[in-house]
């Protein structure tokens, strides 16, 4: 070794010891003939003190930031102790040193608050990774990986590797494909997930499987998507939904305890998909704060049931509400004091194209007991009070109301709720609220193709009580505009998502394990028998040889780490991420390849 | 859960308990009105006893092998105890049962000695994986994975994921490539190893990295190669070769202890590449047995030095020896009793095209002290005795001698040695002998291109004392037939392999960490400055910002598992392997893809 100790290791107990350290120069300070060097490695920073006798050597070496040096010396007590670093009580009086490698001046400062822009830091990722923030992120990522593995191991799960060069069966997202040289004209696909393999492993009797595994999706990238991403992928046999929920609730709690030191004692809250949509306007509610949605048009969810309890807004002659398909309200705590300027700004906020609403109605529940609204002309104070009361607004709160087509309005108020929660400081990074969302719809309507697609994936089982609805009805949608009236729209799945602070961190289902039901599922998705056989014949075949009941879940490892690290961006938790065009700007990949390579593969670029 | 206990869990302590089991029917035996069913899961087998009251239900269910059932009953003591299984002291008297899934008759029996051929078992891999042998293999694989991870974690290594969609820089093996849809006409490559990334992580200061990671090589497959394979990939900073050898010797010992219960106390034997080639004829000697090679033509290695100690065979007028470039001998213990038929068969064995020798000379060292050989005409008994003595042959041994061109003869006698070791039962599956082979040549001569290629990879550092030879001489080979006289032929690398029972299980090196030396290395390999910059500019760039000295190793995880499992074939230790044409016959992959997919990728098949 080039060192006897790391740069984070020395304490007062080492005083008097001769040591050798190696690392990077963080800072150099000269005080007359004495030079102080802070030397850094993964483990910490140690202060080196170099006396006048080495001055000439120092000058000759022309040391600078990020130079790699090896230094030998004696540990001694520091007069000016530094409480902020673990080695702050000592320093090393250097007797000799050597430059192991030089460094150019880095293109940005390697500090917590770096001056490097995004592009520069991506190009010099190996320097950005030296920054403390990214190092902490990768350390957290490793800790989560380790905690998950340890938990799953204790629960009898086995890590079994599944193949990366598989068959292309695009259903949903696009596959990345790999041309085969030995089978010219044919292609492998990279897995979007090991779904069918883990199911085969259940058929093979492995009972409990896990893998921390790369998956690939060739999608147009949004800000927070990567073409390659990592899943904690799990599957169990002989289980019902309740078993899976308990098992993986345990895993997440174990991760919180190991990684964050947070001991979550209570059970993870549960909510049906219907409840989530009604109360929060989306299927991954951030339950760190309330502000539940209320449909004040005609009906709302009360005590878990959709009820039509009379009209809160009817007969007021306010056409915007009367003509709207839906009218949704939230009560923002303590925001009655909003000024005209502030409510105008909020109105502009909901009118932005991303939100797409035509306007915003508000009711101020003043602390003096009066009610003021932007629609005073149409609503008496009593009516305003009734609405505010129904929303659960207290004195000092601000009720915000959006009206319009159901889907868009629901989405808009869900965004507005999150925004108001953010503004009110109710979405704290270090407040972690877990949630199970249950009973997802089995199908989703694909407008372009006017057909049903699997909401989760085609291997998800319908609720037993809904199987007959699926089998007994044709999937064909006669009237596209009334697709919600099709019997398939109401079929629920044995599917569940785990949500953390408004982010889906995991999702899974109890799977279909009978060949005939699986065939019916494929057929419901508009797949012909031949197509189903061609794509998934191996799975249908496997189901004929004693497939056990099974189910599983996959966690989005990148996102889980990001949220645990208090960040919105998964990119900061991946060592070598791609940019939004799917490029690795450090490597300059993808890139053109040799004509010879193309020839061997039997392909041509167009 | 569909069960209260697993099929491997119940003991006499459970007697009287009502339990529910779920699993596969291994066997059904009827004795009059009583039915015995052995039910199997991952954890074991339990005997179920079904009385006549359930006869009708049994008949109605038409149960068969591999059906999945759930059975409820009371644990009771077994009259006929079975010592071979962990649950052999009890049985379960069944009160009710349910068929969870039926099974067709499997295409082969799911037993240790299956009747299924290779192709059938590959096609129905999910059934083959039910066999105990494969289950044990995958369990061993998981245990090795876990032991390696635990050791590395304790030593401060961090698992850091490196990308799979990288840049194609073919150097050695062919890359698998992935067309990019978002960057039409450009391609990613799948990594042949995370080599440059782990080096960048060292530059970033991560100090100790590991990953159990899939790698990809588009090579023509031999029997025991897979296009995708797994490495235990490691890298360390501020280390010298000795540190790496100690660290990973520790890892392998820890794996042996954890997985096989074998506590290897002694240090792993070490041997230079030169010694390995001289003594064993190859760079991965099986040292479970002796039979070292002796060059009896003119010189041999004695006390670690190549000496020319006079001629053992000169002046005998035996043209085969006199005209041969090299004459190599081994002494096979106890084989002097070989019959004429047996020596003839051995002669045929070395004449096969795979070995390619023209003949075999033998000397029998008879137990009566006499010497008999196939070349008695040319060699007196005294000369035979001298040769035999030089080979270390004792009375009762058989000396085998091959003569011919150096490289071929060396390879042939190395194979012959292994064959004789095999026949003598000296290569025991459960005898594990580890070995470090050190000081590999830096370069290898590529005949087709008449140039030097990197024996390990272009990032391996030369021995410090050989750097000047590399820098001071042109890589150009003027005289192809005398390439061994080129100064580059003698340059040794800081490279090492770990060998287990004659298989390379790991290999690594101390890396180049200086930009100028790395550039010289690329140039020695015939790469222009532009090409080096285009392919590896990111690494050369990184070396300008304070790269620390570093080195590492990668273990072939599949092979390591196979050897630990006492098998020659890695395929049996991979859940879903490809066949020799790189096909997954279960999935039927690779396969043709949609024209639409090709269009989106901007490629055409030719």
């Amino acid at each position: 070794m080039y060192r006897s100790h790391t740069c984070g290791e020395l304490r007062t107990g080492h005083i008097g010891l001769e040591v050798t350290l190696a690392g990077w120069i963080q800072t150099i300070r000269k005080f007359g003939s004495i030079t102080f060097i802070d030397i850094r490695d993964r483990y910490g920073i140690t202060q080196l003190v170099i006396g006048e006798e080495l001055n000439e050597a120092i000058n000759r070496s022309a040391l600078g930031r990020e130079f790699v040096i090896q230094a030998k010396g004696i540990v001694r007590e520091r007069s000016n102790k530094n409480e902020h670093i673990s080695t702050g009580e000592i320093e090393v009086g250097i007797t000799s040193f050597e430059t192991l490698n030089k460094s150019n001046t880095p293109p940005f400062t390697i500090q917590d608050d770096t001056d490097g822009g995004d592009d520069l830091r991506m190009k010099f990722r190996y320097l950005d990774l030296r920054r403390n923030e990214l190092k902490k992120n990768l350390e957290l990522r490793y800790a989560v990986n380790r905690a998950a593995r340890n938990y799953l191991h204790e629960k009898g799960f086995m890590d079994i590797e599944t193949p990366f060069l598989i068959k292309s069966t695009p259903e949903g997202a696009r596959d990345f494909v790999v041309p085969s040289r030995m089978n010219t004209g044919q292609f492998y696909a990279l897995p979007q997930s090991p779904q069918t393999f883990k199911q085969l492993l259940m058929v093979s009797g492995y009972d409990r499987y896990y893998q921390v595994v790369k998956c690939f999706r060739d999608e147009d990238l949004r800000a927070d998507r990567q073409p390659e991403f990592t899943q904690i992928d799990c599957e169990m046999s002989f289980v019902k939904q309740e078993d899976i929920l308990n098992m993986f609730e345990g895993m997440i709690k174990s991760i919180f305890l190991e990684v964050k030191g947070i001991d979550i004692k209570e059970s993870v809250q549960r909510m049906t998909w219907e409840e989530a949509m009604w109360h929060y306007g989306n299927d991954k509610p951030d339950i760190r704060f309330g502000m539940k949605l209320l449909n004040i048009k005609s009906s709302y969810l009360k005590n878990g049931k959709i009820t039509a309890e009379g009209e809160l807004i009817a007969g007021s002659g306010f056409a915007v509400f009367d003509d709207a398909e839906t009218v949704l309200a939230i009560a923002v705590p303590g925001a009655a004091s909003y000024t005209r300027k502030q409510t105008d700004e909020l109105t502009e906020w909901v009118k932005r194209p991303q939100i797409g609403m035509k306007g915003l109605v508000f009711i101020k529940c003043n602390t003096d007991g009066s009610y003021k609204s932007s629609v005073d002309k149409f609503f008496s104070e009593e009516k305003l009070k009734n609405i505010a009361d129904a929303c659960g607004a207290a004195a000092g709160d601000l009720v915000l109301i959006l009206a319009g087509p159901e889907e868009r309005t629901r989405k808009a108020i869900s965004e507005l709720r999150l925004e108001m929660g953010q503004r009110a400081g109710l979405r704290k990074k270090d407040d972690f609220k877990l949630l199970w969302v249950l009973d997802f719809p089995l199908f989703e309507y694909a407008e372009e193709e006017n057909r049903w697609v699997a909401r989760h994936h085609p291997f998800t089982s319908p609720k037993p009580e809904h199987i007959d609805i699926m089998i007994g009805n044709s999937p064909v949608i006669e009237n596209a505009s009334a697709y919600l009236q099709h019997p398939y729209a109401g079929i629920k799945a044995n599917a569940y998502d785990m949500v953390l602070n408004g982010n889906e961190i995991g999702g899974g289902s109890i799977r279909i394990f009978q060949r005939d039901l699986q065939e019916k599922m494929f057929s419901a998705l508009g797949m012909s028998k031949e197509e189903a056989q061609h794509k998934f014949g191996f799975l249908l075949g496997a189901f004929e040889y004693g497939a056990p009941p099974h189910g599983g879940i996959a966690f989005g490892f990148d996102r889980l780490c990001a949220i645990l690290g208090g960040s919105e961006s998964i990119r900061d938790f991946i060592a070598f991420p791609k940019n939004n065009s799917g490029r690795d700007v450090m490597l300059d990949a993808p890139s053109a390849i040799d004509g010879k390579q193309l020839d061997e593969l039997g392909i041509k670029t167009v």
Side-chain angles (χ1 to χ4, degrees), chain A:
Chain A
M1 296 289 294
Y2 283 79
R3 66 189 176 211
S4 62
H5 296 76
T6 71
C7 298
E9 196 173 350
L10 298 173
R11 301 284 184 278
T12 48
H14 296 97
I15 286 169
L17 200 68
E18 188 181 61
V19 298
T20 309
L21 299 184
W24 288 262
I25 294 179
Q26 179 78 7
T27 56
I28 305 179
R29 284 157 293 147
K30 290 214 171 218
F31 290 97
S33 58
I34 307 288
T35 307
F36 291 90
I37 293 183
D38 280 348
I39 184 174
R40 183 195 75 227
D41 66 10
R42 173 178 138 198
Y43 312 96
I45 286 184
T46 302
Q47 176 166 292
L48 310 180
V49 188
I50 299 167
E52 150 176 48
E53 66 284 5
L54 289 171
N55 251 346
E56 201 194 320
I58 286 268
N59 292 336
R60 208 173 39 237
S61 318
L63 297 178
R65 280 191 171 213
E66 303 304 322
F67 273 49
V68 184
I69 62 167
Q70 182 188 38
K72 194 172 280 192
I74 311 288
V75 183
R76 61 196 196 200
E77 193 170 359
R78 199 155 150 178
S79 51
N80 234 339
K81 297 206 168 47
N82 181 345
E83 288 175 8
H84 301 297
I85 60 173
S86 62
T87 62
E89 303 211 321
I90 58 90
E91 62 189 15
V92 181
I94 295 308
T95 51
S96 71
F97 74 91
E98 195 185 333
T99 301
L100 298 175
N101 217 341
K102 295 179 185 181
S103 175
N104 289 345
T105 305
F108 50 86
T109 56
I110 295 173
Q111 286 172 180
D112 286 0
D113 48 343
T114 179
D115 53 1
D118 252 18
D119 289 349
L120 203 60
R121 289 191 291 118
M122 287 284 272
K123 185 164 159 56
F124 294 91
R125 185 69 175 178
Y126 47 84
L127 295 181
D128 205 22
L129 284 171
R130 283 189 190 162
R131 291 197 307 121
N132 216 23
E133 191 193 324
L134 271 89
K135 199 187 75 175
K136 274 189 191 160
N137 291 350
L138 293 190
E139 282 172 349
L140 178 134
R141 186 180 175 106
Y142 178 43
V144 175
N145 185 335
R146 187 105 190 124
R149 285 179 184 279
N150 285 344
Y151 177 86
L152 292 167
H153 178 76
E154 271 165 37
K155 297 294 180 185
F157 286 77
M158 265 174 83
D159 181 345
I160 304 177
E161 292 163 70
T162 52
F164 278 70
L165 297 172
I166 66 168
K167 181 171 175 146
S168 185
T169 55
E171 173 69 17
R174 273 186 214 90
D175 284 329
F176 279 106
V177 297
V178 181
S180 165
R181 181 180 56 85
M182 293 213 279
N183 305 271
T184 315
Q186 301 191 331
F187 293 78
Y188 302 98
L190 299 177
Q192 296 188 25
S193 93
Q195 182 61 36
T196 51
F197 294 100
K198 65 178 177 174
Q199 292 192 243
L200 290 180
L201 288 171
M202 294 305 104
V203 175
S204 298
Y206 285 81
D207 205 67
R208 295 183 174 198
Y209 144 96
Y210 80 95
Q211 213 181 169
V212 181
V213 65
K214 273 278 172 82
C215 301
F216 305 85
R217 262 174 226 180
D218 186 10
E219 287 177 354
D220 297 319
L221 301 176
R222 296 193 311 238
D224 207 26
R225 282 258 181 99
Q226 289 279 320
E228 51 175 306
F229 54 97
T230 306
Q231 283 188 352
I232 305 175
D233 193 51
C234 309
E235 197 79 4
M236 299 171 77
S237 288
F238 299 114
V239 288
K240 302 191 169 161
Q241 175 169 303
E242 190 62 28
D243 305 308
I244 305 233
L245 300 187
N246 289 331
M247 180 62 76
F248 292 97
E249 196 164 315
M251 185 182 93
I252 279 293
K253 286 180 177 176
S254 168
I255 289 173
F256 266 101
L257 188 60
E258 294 294 322
V259 177
K260 305 288 293 183
I262 297 172
D263 190 2
I264 303 175
K265 294 230 194 300
E266 68 277 16
S267 285
V268 169
Q269 200 179 314
R270 298 178 183 194
M271 192 182 288
T272 65
W273 178 83
E274 294 277 0
E275 285 173 308
M277 296 306 283
W278 281 98
H279 286 323
Y280 298 93
N282 70 62
D283 58 6
K284 44 182 183 184
D286 186 343
I287 57 165
R288 280 175 294 183
F289 64 105
M291 278 193 223
K292 287 189 189 176
L293 274 51
L294 183 72
N295 184 338
I296 57 172
K297 172 82 179 179
S298 61
S299 61
Y300 55 97
L301 200 72
K302 199 171 176 181
N303 302 328
K305 283 187 182 159
I306 302 163
T307 47
E309 292 215 348
E311 301 257 337
L312 284 165
I313 52 174
S316 304
F318 183 47
V320 171
F321 284 3
D322 293 346
D323 300 345
E325 192 181 353
T326 198
V327 181
L328 296 169
I330 54 171
V332 184
S337 56
Y338 261 43
T339 60
R340 173 67 186 262
K341 201 181 151 195
Q342 282 175 301
T343 53
D344 282 356
E345 185 265 328
L346 269 188
T347 306
E348 288 313 306
W349 193 91
V350 301
K351 285 164 118 176
R352 292 175 315 143
Q354 301 96 301
I355 305 294
M357 299 307 292
K358 293 209 171 124
L360 174 72
V361 170
F362 63 84
I363 304 171
K364 288 185 179 177
C365 311
N366 295 319
T367 44
D368 63 5
S370 69
Y371 292 85
K372 278 301 259 180
S373 103
S374 52
V375 287
D376 283 352
K377 234 197 306 185
F378 300 98
F379 293 93
S380 66
E381 217 170 326
E382 195 198 333
K383 284 203 164 182
L384 294 178
K385 181 179 182 323
N386 286 345
I387 297 173
D389 286 352
C391 293
D397 292 359
L398 177 72
V399 175
L400 299 176
I401 307 173
L402 294 176
E406 173 148 346
E407 212 174 311
R408 187 196 305 162
T409 308
R410 181 135 68 171
K411 205 156 173 270
I413 200 145
S414 161
E415 292 295 327
L416 181 62
R417 174 181 171 272
L418 291 174
E419 174 68 18
M420 298 314 292
Q422 191 72 40
R423 291 186 185 193
L426 299 171
R427 301 175 68 189
K428 295 196 188 75
K429 272 186 188 185
D430 53 355
D431 180 19
F432 295 102
K433 284 282 183 304
L434 288 160
L435 173 71
W436 283 115
V437 178
L438 308 174
D439 303 346
F440 275 80
L442 184 64
F443 296 107
E444 200 166 49
Y445 178 63
E447 205 176 334
E448 284 171 38
E449 305 159 85
N450 189 42
R451 69 170 182 103
W452 299 105
V453 294
R455 194 173 206 293
H456 188 51
H457 56 50
F459 315 106
T460 297
S461 65
K463 292 266 169 207
E465 62 272 26
H466 290 174
I467 291 179
D468 285 344
I469 304 178
M470 185 174 108
I471 294 179
N473 289 281
S474 157
V476 175
I477 303 150
E478 306 277 357
N479 180 357
S481 68
Y483 74 88
L484 275 172
Q485 270 72 59
H486 191 285
Y488 276 31
I491 299 178
K492 293 292 192 291
N494 274 321
Y496 32 81
D497 275 2
M498 187 178 264
V499 173
L500 175 55
N501 291 1
N503 296 277
E504 181 208 324
I505 56 166
S509 62
I510 299 296
R511 324 300 184 187
I512 297 170
F513 67 106
Q514 308 91 337
R515 179 175 175 129
D516 54 348
L517 186 57
Q518 187 64 67
E519 282 182 325
K520 281 181 182 116
M521 183 68 189
F522 286 142
S523 146
L525 299 171
M527 222 184 270
S528 71
K529 264 199 153 74
E530 294 66 37
E531 193 184 350
Q533 187 59 36
H534 173 71
K535 285 183 172 174
F536 299 110
F538 61 96
L539 189 70
L540 292 170
F543 283 177
E544 289 193 312
Y545 293 100
H550 61 287
I553 195 166
F555 288 86
F557 184 48
D558 308 299
R559 169 129 319 116
L560 174 59
C561 293
I563 301 171
L564 290 175
S567 168
E568 294 284 303
S569 162
I570 63 171
R571 207 191 274 175
D572 292 342
F573 290 78
I574 296 172
F576 299 101
K578 309 265 187 298
N579 73 7
N580 286 348
S581 326
R583 293 198 71 81
D584 185 322
V585 294
M586 178 188 73
L587 298 179
D588 190 25
S591 59
I593 58 172
D594 284 356
K596 192 183 151 212
Q597 282 177 282
L598 292 173
D599 289 347
E600 286 188 328
L601 295 171
I603 57 172
K604 256 203 244 183
T605 57
V606 181

